[in-house]
């Protein structure tokens, strides 16, 4: 029975020692935290909500303008490709007609 008490006492001593170490460590962390100082402006400027909303609106408008310009460019390219396609078709027909004439068809 004495062995059981010694084991329990040893466990209690270890737990008390661990608690004391944790308390010391926590105290060190608290001191470091209290000594920490942020230099003014370190975190940057926090904008008022109106500026944030305006910034997003401006970015959205700029994106809309860019997309509209891109759409016009794509439409112009599409028209140009249709013209080239039509020209190739005409050339193909002319070549086919020429060969048919040569064959006497």
């Amino acid at each position: 029975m004495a062995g059981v008490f010694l084991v329990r006492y040893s466990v209690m001593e270890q737990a008390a020692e661990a608690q004391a170490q944790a308390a010391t460590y926590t105290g060190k962390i608290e001191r470091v935290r209290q000594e920490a100082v942020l230099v003014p402006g370190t975190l940057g400027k926090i904008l008022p909500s109106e500026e944030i909303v305006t910034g997003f609106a401006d970015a959205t408008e700029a994106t809309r303008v860019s997309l509209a310009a891109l759409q016009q460019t794509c439409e112009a390219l599409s028209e140009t490709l249709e013209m080239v396609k039509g020209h190739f078709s005409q050339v193909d027909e002319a070549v086919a007609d020429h060969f048919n004439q040569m064959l006497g068809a």
Side-chain angles (χ1 to χ4, degrees), residues 74-93:
C74 288
E75 288 172 356
L77 178 60
S78 177
E79 290 172 8
T80 303
L81 289 175
E82 284 297 322
M83 286 178 20
V84 169
K85 179 182 169 186
H87 179 69
F88 284 160
S89 294
Q90 291 172 354
V91 169
D92 286 347
E93 288 176 21

Side-chain angles (χ1 to χ4, degrees), residues 13-72:
E13 276 186 330
Q14 290 174 358
E17 185 178 322
Q19 184 180 9
Q21 288 175 351
T24 302
Y25 186 68
T26 303
K28 287 179 183 177
I29 292 172
E30 185 62 28
R31 279 191 300 281
V32 169
R33 187 189 66 77
Q34 288 175 353
E35 292 170 1
V37 177
L38 284 177
V39 177
T42 301
L43 300 177
K45 178 183 175 188
I46 298 175
L47 299 173
S49 61
E50 298 86 25
E51 288 185 39
I52 294 171
V53 170
T54 302
F56 276 112
D58 292 347
T60 301
E61 178 62 19
T63 301
R64 188 194 64 72
V65 169
S66 295
L67 288 175
L70 182 60
Q71 179 184 4
Q72 289 177 348

